[in-house]
């Protein structure tokens, strides 16, 4: 029996070498797309952890103000719960001729640097007092690159003395927490060498520690030991990881779903092609049965052929996936991951290849089992006008013969539905990232002064009566409690027009003590619109009798809080927090904060507002103003950066599915060569033979599209709804009509173009060999 199976296996492989090679290439291309995107989803999900590992990221942070830098260093070394640590000392620095808002400058006092190293993208870390490393935000703001000199001014902590110096940029890079930062969250940073501390020790303005937890110890142990030393633990890096994961998760899950769509399309469509490869005509089956071959032997031989082809294809798919690995992880981390060199996810590629191998083999085995049962094959039908033309009628009958049209187009429809779903999702993402108001930013311009209070009265006096400016809003942040539950709050001040961000449900506050909440916070706390809750606000530092005052406030709606970062405060995420009217807490120690937002009339250039404040917005410190025309959150930055790879995946999926459809059509022509010979004997011209094949392929793809387009649109919108809902933006799915039209037309044209190949083969059918069996 084994010898017979091996013989049948060899005969099948030798009879169809061209078909087998084509199938191997199709499996390699389609499987490679699936494996690459699946591995890319996992690498995207793990990107922040990889960045943290590459930089020996800290677990806890502590700030301090003290002069005994060396003593503190020695003290921390005696703490058994602390694993590794880095001590930083900060300076008040101004970059001359390049006002950088929110500038941070410090030196690593610990040598060598072991924790929280920045990622050097170009150059190196500084080693001399006149050298400096800058992050990308700093390099952009100062218009400097490696090798450039920049003029700085070092100030005393009280800003009473100023010392100009010139330093050389020797490195440019990013810090781990900047990889998944909001657009307004990137702060320019200068890093000096430890030699800089020796010459400027008398002007150190602040200090900080970043530490890891020693093996066998716990976070609580580290916190206790730091507190005992008189330090304040004010940074738990778990929050950074959670924020990074919140930015990564929607994109990673989307890539995973896209991989599943690609895998499903490949399994169904390629499964049909494999079935055609090993399918036998009734005459062949009778001949083999007469030679003593049982159904079990034939099935075993066919599965052996399938395993051979799929295994070869999977090897090629692994190669394609490895070549595509530089495309991942998606988002800003891809550039960071490139610093580590060539990297592949061996686990996902290996498990994915085995899963595809098993799935394709199982699908073909099931169809072979069913195909081996006696079945009444019906003739094709060409009703009505489709039967008027002999060539058209023959093509329609070929398409509807056998087990029916829907059986022929089922796999094609699933493959096309996957493509349409991916196109719909990608189009909705493009719409989302192009509409800032969907992420809560429904203004045209943001002005921010870091570490300073903007003089809103002066701004209002100058701009309130300007007809080209429709809205002016002040912004600050606070930490509040809702019936005892801590939440971040954004406090909005009405200067002109409505101060509210984009509403998602309900209405805007119209009276005193009315608030908005984010939909997720509302759901998490179990409240509904219309409920009254106790909101606890912190008092100003001058009131020592009571640290919190409560106000009963009514929830009147939900809104998206835009991702606007202010120095010294935590930015509420899009889907969390409370939105409060500043007027409700007037006189309680709150100011407008360090940001103002402007909405201009249609046709007005936002630059006109900047022109009215050439020295920046007036404040109590003459700090430079940072201007933004958008406030893109990290989640949308990742999505925008991934659009190109999503489009690439759609194109690859389209090519793979259409190529497999063409392969199936070529196999059909090969199987029906006697039928084409009969048509030629009946007088069909070469043109009519070609028309027959094109009508057959056109009907298959046409009927498949009838089902694929609506199903794909529904699936794509559902995927986007889940994606946008996970981020916390306004869910506004769109149907990219133009992109879908291009996709449909491309699919039809590709199928008809490649159908010319089997049509040419059908036209060359030799009558005598083909009709001899008849």
């Amino acid at each position: 029996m084994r010898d017979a199976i091996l013989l049948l296996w060899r005969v099948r492989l030798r009879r169809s070498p061209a078909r087998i090679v084509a199938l191997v290439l199709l499996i390699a291309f389609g499987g490679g797309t699936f494996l690459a995107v699946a591995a890319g989803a996992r690498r995207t999900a793990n990107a922040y952890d990889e960045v943290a590992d590459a930089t020996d990221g800290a677990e806890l942070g502590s700030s301090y103000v003290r002069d005994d830098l060396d003593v503190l260093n020695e003290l921390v070394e005696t703490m058994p719960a602390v694993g590794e640590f880095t001590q930083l000392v900060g300076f008040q620095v101004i970059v001359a001729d390049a006002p950088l808002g929110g500038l941070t400058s410090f030196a690593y006092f610990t040598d060598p640097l072991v924790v929280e190293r920045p990622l050097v993208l170009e150059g190196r870390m500084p080693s001399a007092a006149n050298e400096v490393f800058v992050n990308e935000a700093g390099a952009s703001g100062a218009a400097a690159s490696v090798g450039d000199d920049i003029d700085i001014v070092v100030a005393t902590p009280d800003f009473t003395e100023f010392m100009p110096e010139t330093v050389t940029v020797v490195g440019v890079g990013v810090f781990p927490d900047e990889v998944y930062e909001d657009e307004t969250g990137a702060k320019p940073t200068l890093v000096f060498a430890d030699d800089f501390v020796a010459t400027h020790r008398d002007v150190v303005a602040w200090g900080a520690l970043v530490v890891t937890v020693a093996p066998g110890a716990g976070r609580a142990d580290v916190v206790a030991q730091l507190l005992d030393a008189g330090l304040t633990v004010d940074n738990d890096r778990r929050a950074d990881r959670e924020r990074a994961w919140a930015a990564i998760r929607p994109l990673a899950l989307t890539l995973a779903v896209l991989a599943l769509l690609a895998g499903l399309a490949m399994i169904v469509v390629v499964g049909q092609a494999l079935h055609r490869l090993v399918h036998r005509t009734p005459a062949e089956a009778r001949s083999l049965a007469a030679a003593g071959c049982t159904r079990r032997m034939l099935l075993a031989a066919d599965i052996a052929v399938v395993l051979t082809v799929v295994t070869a294809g999977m090897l090629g798919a692994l190669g394609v996936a490895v070549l595509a690995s530089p495309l991942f992880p998606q988002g800003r981390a891809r550039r960071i991951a490139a610093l580590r060199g060539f990297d592949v996810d061996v686990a996902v590629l290996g498990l994915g290849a085995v899963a595809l191998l098993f799935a394709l083999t199982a699908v073909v085995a099931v169809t072979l089992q069913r195909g081996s049962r006696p079945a009444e094959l019906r003739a094709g039908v060409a009703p009505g006008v489709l039967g008027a033309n002999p060539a058209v009628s023959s093509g329609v009958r070929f398409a509807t013969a056998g087990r029916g049209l829907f059986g022929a187009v089922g796999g094609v429809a699933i493959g096309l539905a996957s493509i349409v779903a991916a196109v719909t999702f990608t189009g909705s993402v493009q719409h989302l990232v192009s509409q800032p108001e969907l992420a809560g930013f429904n203004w045209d311009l943001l002005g921010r002064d870091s570490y300073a209070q903007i003089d809103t009265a002066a701004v209002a006096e100058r701009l309130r009566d300007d007809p080209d400016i429709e809205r002016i809003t002040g912004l600050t942040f606070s930490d509040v409690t809702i019936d005892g539950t801590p939440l971040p709050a954004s406090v909005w001040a009405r200067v002109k027009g409505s101060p509210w961000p984009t509403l998602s449900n309900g209405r805007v506050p119209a009276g005193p003590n009315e608030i908005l909440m984010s939909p997720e916070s509302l759901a998490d706390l179990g409240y509904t619109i219309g409920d009254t809750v106790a909101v606890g606000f912190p008092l100003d530092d001058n009131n020592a009798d009571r640290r919190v005052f409560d106000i009963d406030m009514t929830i009147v709606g939900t809104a998206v809080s835009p991702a606007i970062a202010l120095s010294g405060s935590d930015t509420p995420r899009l889907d969390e927090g409370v939105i409060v009217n500043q007027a409700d807490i007037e006189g309680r120690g709150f100011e407008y904060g360090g940001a103002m937002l402007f909405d201009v009339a249609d046709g007005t250039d936002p630059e006109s507002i900047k022109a009215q404040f050439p020295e920046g917005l007036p404040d109590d410190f003459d700090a430079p103003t940072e201007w933004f025309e958008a406030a893109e959150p990290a989640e949308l930055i990742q999505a925008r950066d991934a659009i190109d790879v999503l489009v690439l995946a759609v194109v690859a999926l389209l090519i793979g599915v259409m190529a497999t459809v063409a392969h199936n059509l070529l196999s059909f022509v090969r199987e029906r060569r006697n039928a084409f010979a009969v048509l030629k004997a009946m007088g069909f011209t070469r043109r009519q033979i070609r028309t027959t094949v094109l009508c057959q392929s056109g009907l298959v793809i046409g009927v498949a599209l009838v089902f694929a387009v609506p199903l794909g649109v529904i699936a794509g919108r559902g995927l986007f709804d889940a994606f946008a809902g996970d981020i916390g933006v306004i869910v506004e799915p769109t149907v990219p009509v133009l992109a879908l039209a291009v996709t449909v037309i491309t699919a039809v044209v590709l199928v008809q173009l490649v159908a010319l190949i089997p049509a040419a083969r059908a036209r060359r059918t030799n009558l005598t060999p083909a009709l001899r069996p008849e």
Side-chain angles (χ1 to χ4, degrees), residues 454-464 495 596 613 617-619:
I454 296 175
D455 186 349
T456 52
V459 175
E461 182 179 357
R462 186 177 303 183
L463 300 180
R464 182 180 285 124
V495 177
M596 295 201 72
F613 299 97
L617 294 173
D619 57 48

Side-chain angles (χ1 to χ4, degrees), residues 305-546:
V305 171
V306 171
L307 278 172
T308 302
V309 174
V310 174
T311 300
M314 283 297 102
L315 293 175
L318 289 171
V320 171
V322 168
L323 291 175
S325 62
L327 294 174
F328 301 98
Q330 272 300 301
R332 289 181 172 177
R334 175 154 60 102
R335 192 179 43 140
I336 308 303
L339 296 175
R340 303 180 63 181
F342 194 76
D343 190 16
V344 296
D345 193 323
V346 177
V348 170
L349 295 185
L351 292 175
V354 171
L356 279 182
L357 179 66
F358 175 80
L360 285 171
T361 305
V363 167
V364 177
V366 170
T367 57
L368 286 174
Q369 282 278 35
R370 292 181 177 178
S372 64
R373 301 171 186 171
E376 186 69 29
L377 300 180
R378 62 179 177 80
V381 178
V385 69
L386 294 179
N389 184 291
V392 174
S393 175
S394 297
V396 174
R397 290 178 185 276
F398 282 161
T400 59
R403 296 184 182 274
L405 177 62
F406 292 107
V409 303
V412 181
I414 292 176
L416 286 172
S418 300
I419 295 168
V420 171
V423 171
T424 302
F425 172 79
T426 304
S428 295
V429 172
Q430 289 177 315
H431 174 72
L432 172 62
V433 300
S434 66
Q435 302 293 324
E437 63 272 14
L438 297 180
F441 190 82
N442 54 359
W443 294 269
D444 295 313
L445 186 66
L446 162 67
R448 180 181 70 184
D449 282 13
S450 298
Y451 311 112
Q453 296 290 341
I454 296 175
D455 186 349
T456 52
V459 175
E461 182 179 357
R462 186 177 303 183
L463 300 180
R464 182 180 285 124
D465 296 330
D466 190 332
D468 291 331
I469 302 176
E470 297 181 344
R471 301 166 62 210
I472 305 174
T473 305
L475 172 65
T476 191
F477 292 128
S478 178
D479 291 319
V480 303
T481 59
I482 301 292
D483 289 339
T485 301
L487 282 177
S490 54
V491 182
W492 302 86
R494 183 197 308 269
V495 177
K496 180 180 181 180
S498 171
W500 307 113
T502 308
L503 200 69
S504 59
N505 199 8
R507 63 173 177 83
V508 299
N513 299 335
E514 293 183 343
I515 61 171
L516 301 172
M517 291 187 68
S518 73
E520 184 167 326
S521 293
L522 187 69
D524 289 344
L525 294 177
Y527 296 117
T528 60
I529 294 176
D531 288 345
T532 298
V533 295
V535 183
F537 294 88
L539 288 172
D540 62 87
D541 292 337
N542 294 325
N543 190 320
D545 297 328
R546 192 180 178 198

Side-chain angles (χ1 to χ4, degrees), residues 115 207 230 270 542 550 673 691 699:
V115 178
V270 174
N542 294 325
D550 291 331
R673 60 184 180 275
T691 302
L699 184 62

Side-chain angles (χ1 to χ4, degrees), residues 521-613:
S521 293
L522 187 69
D524 289 344
L525 294 177
Y527 296 117
T528 60
I529 294 176
D531 288 345
T532 298
V533 295
V535 183
F537 294 88
L539 288 172
D540 62 87
D541 292 337
N542 294 325
N543 190 320
D545 297 328
R546 192 180 178 198
R547 301 306 304 157
V548 175
F549 68 94
D550 291 331
I551 301 178
D552 289 336
M553 293 185 154
T554 302
I555 304 169
V556 297
T558 58
V560 180
S561 183
I564 300 173
L566 295 179
S567 299
S569 60
D570 294 329
T571 305
R573 303 312 302 157
L574 303 173
D575 56 354
E576 68 175 0
V578 184
I579 298 173
V580 180
N581 190 344
Q582 196 271 345
D584 291 334
I585 53 176
E586 197 79 58
R588 301 279 190 165
F590 282 90
E591 303 293 339
Y592 287 167
M596 295 201 72
L597 301 103
F598 307 89
D599 191 23
V600 300
D602 292 342
T604 301
D605 189 350
E607 292 290 331
S608 62
I609 297 177
K610 299 181 188 180
Q612 297 194 50
F613 299 97

